Amino acid sequence: KQEVTQIPAALSVPEGENLVLNCSFTDSAIYNLQWFRQDPGKGLTSLLLIQSSQREQTSGRLNASLDKSSGRSTLYIAASQPGDSATYLCAVSGNFNKFYFGSGTKLNVKP
Amino acid sequence: GAGVSQTPSNKVTEKGKYVELRCDPISGHTALYWYRQSLGQGPEFLIYFQGTGAADDSGLPNDRFFAVRPEGSVSTLKIQRTERGDSAVYLCASSLRGLAGLTDTQYFGPGTRLTVL
């Protein structure tokens, strides 16, 4: 069964810092990898989707990379802002696009 | 346009009772997914519908859990004889195609928080 691990579990940084969130998965036979943001009491918001044939995706201050062979992905957030505070979830999809999620990294950006 | 909606937003029930959770996907999305999220954990897959049929129900924990999508749009997750361990946030997601080998973004609803006393 696919296992997804996210490190660190929690992260607190001052505003303006660049930061990296890590995700690893055990089975490299994935269709895609997606990073989500979850705010307290809310659903998930998709941030970036990387197809298995791609190596990275960028959206604004966010950049996600994928190294399928080593089972790793990183989410890079540039110039962090207090509004970035949330839990970030990494998910990989297998057959039929069902996702296997990590437990998330809880990010706190201090003003 | 409207996103994925779920009702109720909160549900409190007693152990042993029956509950139904509803999901309204984005119009035109053929794929619908149910996930369960326990406190401090990521969502865990329960079941996937392609149209009206359950293409993959391997995540349903036991036969107390059942889901339907009779017209290929709205879906209902049904839990019989609820147990305290069923307490969690139940998330629904939809995507445009969801076909094997194709990829598209899943859009999640806000979830239903189920509490079994």
Side-chain angles (χ1 to χ4, degrees):
Chain A
K1 181 188 171 185
Q2 178 76 266
E3 300 284 345
V4 181
T5 303
Q6 290 187 247
I7 295 173
L11 181 64
S12 184
V13 300
E15 181 177 5
E17 272 204 8
N18 303 324
L19 58 100
V20 175
L21 308 182
N22 296 290
C23 172
S24 61
F25 47 94
T26 54
D27 186 351
S28 61
I30 64 170
Y31 283 107
N32 64 44
L33 182 144
Q34 198 158 349
W35 283 93
F36 293 87
R37 168 185 173 137
Q38 186 171 35
D39 293 281
K42 302 287 181 64
L44 279 65
T45 300
S46 176
L47 298 173
L48 291 164
L49 181 151
I50 309 176
Q51 298 189 19
S52 60
S53 58
Q54 298 175 321
R55 294 201 51 96
E56 68 176 337
Q57 282 285 347
T58 298
S59 176
R61 295 182 293 107
L62 306 180
N63 176 274
S65 68
L66 172 63
D67 184 344
K68 201 172 82 160
S69 61
S70 68
R72 294 179 189 277
S73 175
T74 61
L75 178 67
Y76 175 83
I77 302 176
S80 58
Q81 302 170 358
D84 294 332
S85 298
T87 295
Y88 290 81
L89 291 161
C90 166
V92 297
S93 75
N95 200 17
F96 296 119
N97 277 332
K98 70 182 183 186
F99 277 109
Y100 297 92
F101 283 84
S103 295
T105 293
K106 187 172 183 179
L107 174 65
N108 178 37
V109 181
K110 298 172 289 187
Chain B
V4 179
S5 62
Q6 293 186 245
T7 53
S9 56
N10 281 283
K11 176 70 177 178
V12 180
T13 191
E14 294 180 343
K15 179 175 178 294
K17 298 290 188 182
Y18 168 83
V19 296
E20 289 189 351
L21 311 179
R22 176 187 169 108
C23 171
D24 283 80
I26 293 172
S27 178
H29 280 194
T30 61
L32 185 146
Y33 307 79
W34 282 99
Y35 294 86
R36 177 169 71 173
Q37 187 174 24
S38 300
L39 192 63
Q41 300 297 315
E44 183 180 21
F45 170 80
L46 295 177
I47 187 169
Y48 156 64
F49 287 90
Q50 181 58 250
T52 61
D56 184 347
D57 65 357
S58 61
L60 295 178
N62 52 59
D63 61 5
R64 295 187 298 106
F65 288 75
F66 188 72
V68 295
R69 195 186 185 200
E71 297 178 359
S73 178
V74 171
S75 177
T76 304
L77 178 66
K78 307 180 181 191
I79 310 175
Q80 298 177 321
R81 304 183 304 280
T82 51
E83 301 178 356
R84 293 193 180 88
D86 299 335
S87 296
V89 175
Y90 289 80
L91 295 166
C92 175
S94 71
S95 68
L96 186 60
R97 297 181 297 263
L99 296 174
L102 297 177
T103 60
D104 52 355
T105 302
Q106 288 188 24
Y107 297 89
F108 281 77
T112 293
R113 181 175 298 276
L114 175 66
T115 303
V116 182
L117 302 177

mmCIF file of all heavy atoms in Angstrom, chain A residues 6 18 24 37 42-43 51 55 63 74 85 89 92 104 106 110:
data_model
loop_
_atom_site.group_PDB
_atom_site.id
_atom_site.type_symbol
_atom_site.label_atom_id
_atom_site.label_comp_id
_atom_site.label_asym_id
_atom_site.label_seq_id
_atom_site.Cartn_x
_atom_site.Cartn_y
_atom_site.Cartn_z
ATOM 1 N N GLN A 6 5.099 13.282 5.346
ATOM 2 C CA GLN A 6 5.424 14.697 5.200
ATOM 3 C C GLN A 6 6.268 15.158 6.378
ATOM 4 O O GLN A 6 5.964 14.882 7.530
ATOM 5 C CB GLN A 6 4.153 15.544 5.118
ATOM 6 C CG GLN A 6 3.400 15.330 3.814
ATOM 7 C CD GLN A 6 2.240 16.294 3.659
ATOM 8 O OE1 GLN A 6 1.081 15.874 3.666
ATOM 9 N NE2 GLN A 6 2.559 17.578 3.525
ATOM 10 N N ASN A 18 11.742 32.313 2.909
ATOM 11 C CA ASN A 18 11.464 31.260 1.934
ATOM 12 C C ASN A 18 11.482 29.935 2.683
ATOM 13 O O ASN A 18 12.275 29.752 3.599
ATOM 14 C CB ASN A 18 12.512 31.241 0.828
ATOM 15 C CG ASN A 18 12.604 32.573 0.111
ATOM 16 O OD1 ASN A 18 11.597 33.252 -0.090
ATOM 17 N ND2 ASN A 18 13.817 32.973 -0.265
ATOM 18 N N SER A 24 7.365 12.508 0.868
ATOM 19 C CA SER A 24 7.957 11.309 0.277
ATOM 20 C C SER A 24 6.884 10.231 0.182
ATOM 21 O O SER A 24 5.939 10.192 0.988
ATOM 22 C CB SER A 24 9.149 10.815 1.098
ATOM 23 O OG SER A 24 8.743 10.479 2.408
ATOM 24 N N ARG A 37 -3.909 22.868 0.264
ATOM 25 C CA ARG A 37 -3.902 23.700 1.465
ATOM 26 C C ARG A 37 -5.217 23.466 2.194
ATOM 27 O O ARG A 37 -6.279 23.371 1.570
ATOM 28 C CB ARG A 37 -3.768 25.163 1.049
ATOM 29 C CG ARG A 37 -4.023 26.131 2.170
ATOM 30 C CD ARG A 37 -4.004 27.555 1.689
ATOM 31 N NE ARG A 37 -4.409 28.431 2.786
ATOM 32 C CZ ARG A 37 -3.826 29.578 3.078
ATOM 33 N NH1 ARG A 37 -2.828 30.025 2.323
ATOM 34 N NH2 ARG A 37 -4.243 30.294 4.101
ATOM 35 N N LYS A 42 -12.057 23.914 7.335
ATOM 36 C CA LYS A 42 -12.420 24.071 5.922
ATOM 37 C C LYS A 42 -12.002 22.836 5.126
ATOM 38 O O LYS A 42 -11.265 21.974 5.611
ATOM 39 C CB LYS A 42 -11.715 25.307 5.332
ATOM 40 C CG LYS A 42 -12.022 26.598 6.053
ATOM 41 C CD LYS A 42 -13.407 27.084 5.760
ATOM 42 C CE LYS A 42 -13.729 28.393 6.463
ATOM 43 N NZ LYS A 42 -12.884 29.499 5.988
ATOM 44 N N GLY A 43 -12.481 22.797 3.873
ATOM 45 C CA GLY A 43 -12.065 21.723 2.984
ATOM 46 C C GLY A 43 -10.676 21.983 2.428
ATOM 47 O O GLY A 43 -9.950 22.851 2.901
ATOM 48 N N GLN A 51 1.768 16.199 -13.003
ATOM 49 C CA GLN A 51 1.568 14.892 -13.610
ATOM 50 C C GLN A 51 2.858 14.090 -13.530
ATOM 51 O O GLN A 51 3.942 14.657 -13.411
ATOM 52 C CB GLN A 51 1.104 15.063 -15.051
ATOM 53 C CG GLN A 51 -0.237 15.779 -15.146
ATOM 54 C CD GLN A 51 -0.811 15.761 -16.543
ATOM 55 O OE1 GLN A 51 -0.424 14.955 -17.364
ATOM 56 N NE2 GLN A 51 -1.741 16.645 -16.819
ATOM 57 N N ARG A 55 8.224 17.441 -13.996
ATOM 58 C CA ARG A 55 9.176 17.519 -12.893
ATOM 59 C C ARG A 55 8.852 18.677 -11.958
ATOM 60 O O ARG A 55 9.297 18.671 -10.806
ATOM 61 C CB ARG A 55 10.575 17.662 -13.433
ATOM 62 C CG ARG A 55 11.011 16.423 -14.191
ATOM 63 C CD ARG A 55 12.493 16.252 -14.337
ATOM 64 N NE ARG A 55 13.274 16.361 -13.130
ATOM 65 C CZ ARG A 55 13.657 15.310 -12.404
ATOM 66 N NH1 ARG A 55 13.277 14.101 -12.731
ATOM 67 N NH2 ARG A 55 14.418 15.475 -11.328
ATOM 68 N N ASN A 63 6.236 26.794 -5.824
ATOM 69 C CA ASN A 63 6.864 25.918 -6.813
ATOM 70 C C ASN A 63 6.909 24.515 -6.232
ATOM 71 O O ASN A 63 7.405 24.313 -5.121
ATOM 72 C CB ASN A 63 8.274 26.410 -7.148
ATOM 73 C CG ASN A 63 8.995 25.463 -8.091
ATOM 74 O OD1 ASN A 63 9.608 24.493 -7.655
ATOM 75 N ND2 ASN A 63 8.923 25.741 -9.377
ATOM 76 N N THR A 74 8.834 18.334 -3.289
ATOM 77 C CA THR A 74 8.976 19.473 -2.391
ATOM 78 C C THR A 74 8.041 20.585 -2.838
ATOM 79 O O THR A 74 7.768 20.741 -4.020
ATOM 80 C CB THR A 74 10.414 20.013 -2.372
ATOM 81 O OG1 THR A 74 10.762 20.451 -3.686
ATOM 82 C CG2 THR A 74 11.400 18.960 -1.898
ATOM 83 N N SER A 85 -0.400 30.835 6.427
ATOM 84 C CA SER A 85 -0.557 29.924 7.562
ATOM 85 C C SER A 85 -1.733 28.985 7.327
ATOM 86 O O SER A 85 -2.867 29.427 7.101
ATOM 87 C CB SER A 85 -0.771 30.723 8.847
ATOM 88 O OG SER A 85 0.344 31.541 9.129
ATOM 89 N N LEU A 89 -1.029 19.729 2.605
ATOM 90 C CA LEU A 89 -1.136 18.286 2.414
ATOM 91 C C LEU A 89 -0.595 17.899 1.045
ATOM 92 O O LEU A 89 -0.881 18.556 0.041
ATOM 93 C CB LEU A 89 -2.591 17.841 2.524
ATOM 94 C CG LEU A 89 -3.225 17.944 3.913
ATOM 95 C CD1 LEU A 89 -4.742 17.922 3.810
ATOM 96 C CD2 LEU A 89 -2.763 16.822 4.815
ATOM 97 N N VAL A 92 -0.646 11.677 -3.458
ATOM 98 C CA VAL A 92 -0.280 11.025 -4.703
ATOM 99 C C VAL A 92 -1.450 10.172 -5.152
ATOM 100 O O VAL A 92 -2.193 9.627 -4.336
ATOM 101 C CB VAL A 92 0.987 10.159 -4.559
ATOM 102 C CG1 VAL A 92 2.182 11.035 -4.208
ATOM 103 C CG2 VAL A 92 0.813 9.057 -3.544
ATOM 104 N N GLY A 104 0.289 15.879 6.600
ATOM 105 C CA GLY A 104 0.310 17.327 6.501
ATOM 106 C C GLY A 104 1.434 17.992 7.262
ATOM 107 O O GLY A 104 2.022 17.413 8.185
ATOM 108 N N LYS A 106 1.835 21.587 9.270
ATOM 109 C CA LYS A 106 1.118 22.756 9.770
ATOM 110 C C LYS A 106 2.068 23.938 9.789
ATOM 111 O O LYS A 106 3.058 23.943 10.540
ATOM 112 C CB LYS A 106 0.565 22.491 11.165
ATOM 113 C CG LYS A 106 -0.341 23.594 11.680
ATOM 114 C CD LYS A 106 -1.004 23.186 12.987
ATOM 115 C CE LYS A 106 -1.967 24.249 13.471
ATOM 116 N NZ LYS A 106 -2.636 23.868 14.719
ATOM 117 N N LYS A 110 4.697 33.964 11.121
ATOM 118 C CA LYS A 110 4.520 35.005 12.132
ATOM 119 C C LYS A 110 4.736 36.385 11.529
ATOM 120 O O LYS A 110 5.712 36.592 10.815
ATOM 121 C CB LYS A 110 5.497 34.772 13.283
ATOM 122 C CG LYS A 110 5.284 33.452 14.007
ATOM 123 C CD LYS A 110 6.397 33.181 14.994
ATOM 124 C CE LYS A 110 7.698 32.838 14.274
ATOM 125 N NZ LYS A 110 8.761 32.409 15.203
#
